[in-house]
Amino acid sequence: MNKLKKNSNLELKDGARIAVLGGGPAGSFFSIFALKLANQIGKDIDLTIYEQKSFLNEGPSSCNMCAGVVSESLVQLLAIEGIILRPPILQRAIDTYCFQTISGDVLLHSISNQSGIATVYRGGGPVCKSTSEKNEKPDSGKISFDDFLIDCAKKEGANVENIRVDKVKLNNEKPEIFSKGEKLFDADLVVGACGINANAVKMFEKLGIGYTSPSVIKAFQSEIHIGERNVSTLFGNAIHIFLINQPDVKFSAITPKGSYVTISMLGKNITKQTVVDFLNNPLVKNKFPDSWRTPDAFCRCVPMINVGAARHPFANRIVMIGDASSARLYKDGIGSAYLTAKAAANTAILYGVSRAAFYKHYYPTCKKINRDNFFGKLMFTLTNTINKTPIIREALLTVLRSEQKQPESDHKCSTVLWDMFTGNERYTDIFIRAFNPRLLLRFLINIFNVIFIWFKNMWRQ
Ligand SMILES: Cc1cc2nc3c(=O)[nH]c(=O)nc-3n(C[C@H](O)[C@H](O)[C@H](O)COP(=O)(O)OP(=O)(O)OC[C@H]3O[C@@H](n4cnc5c(N)ncnc54)[C@H](O)[C@@H]3O)c2cc1C
């Protein structure tokens, strides 16, 4: 309390100026919440979003490069805020996850029996490479989720400048931002919502406020055109997770969109050839039309994914949010952008923009995400081990298949997998549920069963 009082001159007064660096989900969410809250308490703030991209064009340069899956919990939170995802922003509503392994596949359906997960494009959609793509490309104009969010922020009163900020400077503790040598803004607060795919985080590291950007790994994204009818009949409303032991690949998934499927891959040194090998794997090929051949060229990008927390993501008059601060491991990054943006906006408007205020009211949200990621790491190590061990993988599939025949209240293992891959629940809760003694016992019995059947078959041979 004393610390807060000492910094009371860092409260945002009427007419205070906020510069939001980055108009991805974190920047737009921050702007929406800060402006809404300021309006509710009768505070007048002047907020400008600086975004270097236009999200209206096709291809990676106009896109914030991600699989574009908006979790069920975030779709609901956004609806409460009056942000409703509808076509053409909504590409497909997802109600099923399909786990494909070399020992077979299993379908997990939404527990709520609703198509509550949304798939979207972050930019203006994939670059059209072939004539068939160009023929089927919707001409409905705006489809970008990020552009839609920026529009929501504009409606709350945000100014938006299509400018790349190239310098942030502290002048008597008041941050100033620059582009091409020209001072753009003298800010009462600078919000670092620049993600981790641009060099902007380095500008904040150089400020000497102790900020260190999160650790990252490379991911590989490809958009493959197969036509709207094929997407509907072959993939339906299901995200396909492939656990197929491809060398150097940790994770691969196919997400259905309008007339494209998005392929997301994580692992070491993934290249276009790794994607082609993936598409040529019999299990994957089986999902595509018989006559279909892997195209020579397709829209692809190699974005970074946040796999660790930033250090000191705030200082007097500066706060880092979204990917530039903390994000859930491998899941629901847009949901983390929402959480960190909301906590930072509440702090700035209600408690001020001092380091102490951010430490007390904003940092707990980051710490909660970071702590939860510890359990996330354990859960992903466990699923990797299961996938690489045929006996345990077989036992898991047996448990899942037998659960599908039971009443929903018995779907213990299915809900663990569903929540883990949809990003619907905290990893800590999933971890506790995964180590439920009844579930472990059922799993153990199935492992013995699998071993028994293997020995029986060997004996017969
Ligand atoms: C392969 C992959 C798949 C993913 N899939 C999903 C998924 O399915 N669902 C999900 O929820 N999350 C997913 N994520 C994570 C998700 O993309 C991020 O967590 C989310 O985009 C973070 O939002 P952000 O606003 O913090 O950053 P970003 O989305 O990166 O936005 C930052 C913005 O700042 C702008 N900017 C940067 N520097 C400057 C500058 N100097 N001047 C002006 N503007 C600037 C950028 O142009 C950009 O628009 C995925 C990530 C990867 C890599």
Side-chain angles (χ1 to χ4, degrees):
M1 190 68 197
N2 282 343
K3 271 186 194 165
L4 269 185
K5 268 189 184 154
K6 259 191 231 165
N7 284 305
S8 58
N9 58 332
L10 296 190
E11 274 169 21
L12 291 178
K13 308 237 163 60
D14 256 349
R17 305 184 78 205
I18 302 180
V20 180
L21 206 162
S28 292
F29 286 141
F30 177 92
S31 309
I32 294 166
F33 298 131
L35 288 160
K36 256 190 189 169
L37 190 56
N39 190 28
Q40 277 164 12
I41 61 170
K43 205 176 253 184
D44 183 25
I45 56 169
D46 170 5
L47 183 149
T48 303
I49 301 175
Y50 291 96
E51 172 53 56
Q52 62 188 359
K53 291 179 187 163
S54 152
F55 297 116
L56 299 180
N57 302 326
E58 294 169 356
S61 62
S62 294
C63 176
N64 276 333
M65 303 171 290
C66 107
V69 181
V70 185
S71 69
E72 194 166 14
S73 46
L74 183 60
V75 169
Q76 286 165 5
L77 286 171
L78 292 181
I80 294 168
E81 304 284 350
I83 303 172
I84 317 275
L85 297 179
R86 293 193 185 95
I89 309 296
L90 171 72
Q91 290 292 311
R92 200 165 282 267
I94 300 293
D95 55 16
T96 304
Y97 266 67
C98 175
F99 292 87
Q100 303 267 176
T101 76
I102 42 176
S103 316
D105 61 5
V106 66
L107 289 174
L108 299 184
H109 300 287
S110 161
I111 300 138
S112 63
N113 279 328
Q114 283 175 4
S115 310
I117 300 168
T119 64
V120 298
Y121 285 124
R122 303 289 303 275
V127 184
C128 297
K129 301 277 187 185
S130 65
T131 326
S132 72
E133 285 178 69
K134 283 174 190 150
N135 288 345
E136 228 192 278
K137 187 83 187 166
D139 53 2
S140 54
K142 282 191 179 190
I143 55 168
S144 163
F145 173 70
D146 290 32
D147 192 63
F148 165 70
L149 289 182
I150 283 197
D151 272 350
C152 294
K154 274 187 197 162
K155 281 185 194 134
E156 296 299 334
N159 310 304
V160 180
E161 298 282 356
N162 189 201
I163 288 176
R164 179 174 178 269
V165 172
D166 52 29
K167 191 172 164 192
V168 181
K169 200 175 137 192
L170 279 178
N171 189 2
N172 287 332
E173 286 233 334
K174 240 188 164 186
E176 298 170 337
I177 61 170
F178 297 82
S179 182
K180 295 181 183 160
E182 194 187 315
K183 184 157 107 178
L184 299 174
F185 212 86
D186 239 341
D188 292 293
L189 171 67
V190 168
V191 181
C194 50
I196 36 157
N197 279 295
N199 276 334
V201 279
K202 300 277 173 253
M203 298 190 297
F204 289 95
E205 285 180 339
K206 283 181 195 153
L207 283 178
I209 55 173
Y211 170 70
T212 314
S213 58
S215 39
V216 293
I217 58 165
K218 271 186 194 164
F220 204 98
Q221 288 270 125
S222 323
E223 304 284 350
I224 307 284
H225 182 263
I226 56 169
E228 195 160 356
R229 192 135 49 94
N230 279 329
V231 177
S232 297
T233 48
L234 300 168
F235 291 90
N237 295 335
I239 292 178
H240 288 61
I241 309 273
F242 288 85
L243 306 168
I244 52 176
N245 289 341
Q246 195 179 340
D248 290 338
V249 178
K250 260 188 163 180
F251 172 87
S252 29
I254 300 187
T255 304
K257 304 265 175 82
S259 53
Y260 287 78
V261 289
T262 303
I263 299 180
S264 311
M265 298 183 90
L266 281 177
K268 263 191 213 158
N269 306 325
I270 296 184
T271 60
K272 185 183 167 197
Q273 189 53 45
T274 324
V275 181
V276 173
D277 292 345
F278 170 72
L279 288 168
N280 285 331
N281 181 299
L283 257 185
V284 183
K285 213 174 174 128
N286 206 17
K287 294 298 311 172
F288 286 81
D290 289 340
S291 58
W292 185 81
R293 296 282 167 272
T294 307
D296 290 336
F298 46 86
C299 187
R300 59 182 196 274
C301 59
V302 192
M304 299 292 184
I305 196 159
N306 174 323
V307 289
R311 290 185 60 215
H312 305 296
F314 52 85
N316 283 341
R317 298 191 188 282
I318 292 177
V319 63
M320 308 299 292
I321 58 172
D323 266 11
S325 176
S326 292
R328 287 192 70 197
L329 187 69
Y330 302 138
K331 287 286 136 201
D332 198 22
I334 304 172
S336 310
Y338 172 96
L339 292 176
T340 53
K342 191 162 197 175
N346 285 348
T347 307
I349 301 299
L350 298 177
Y351 304 100
V353 293
S354 66
R355 188 179 188 283
F358 285 126
Y359 181 75
K360 188 165 178 195
H361 300 283
Y362 168 63
Y363 200 38
T365 302
C366 304
K367 282 206 286 197
K368 212 167 164 181
I369 296 173
N370 304 341
R371 248 184 264 128
D372 193 49
N373 281 346
F374 170 77
F375 289 97
K377 266 186 201 144
L378 292 180
M379 287 305 293
F380 278 107
T381 310
L382 188 70
T383 34
N384 263 342
T385 313
I386 292 176
N387 186 36
K388 287 195 176 126
T389 322
I391 291 173
I392 310 180
R393 187 176 62 220
E394 197 88 32
L396 175 70
L397 285 177
T398 316
V399 172
L400 289 172
R401 283 185 192 129
S402 77
E403 275 188 2
Q404 303 296 310
K405 294 175 198 147
Q406 310 293 326
E408 262 176 28
S409 53
D410 280 345
H411 291 193
K412 302 233 170 350
C413 191
S414 311
T415 50
V416 163
L417 269 193
W418 174 266
D419 287 334
M420 193 164 149
F421 283 96
T422 57
N424 232 14
E425 282 275 346
R426 291 186 327 138
Y427 289 126
T428 316
D429 300 336
I430 301 170
F431 183 85
I432 293 167
R433 277 166 35 215
F435 285 87
N436 169 301
R438 272 182 59 195
L439 182 59
L440 284 180
L441 185 67
R442 204 187 308 167
F443 207 52
L444 218 60
I445 293 171
N446 274 286
I447 291 177
F448 284 124
N449 266 344
V450 173
I451 296 174
F452 178 71
I453 292 167
W454 276 21
F455 271 120
K456 218 166 95 180
N457 288 343
M458 267 170 61
W459 186 255
R460 274 194 195 141
Q461 281 167 9

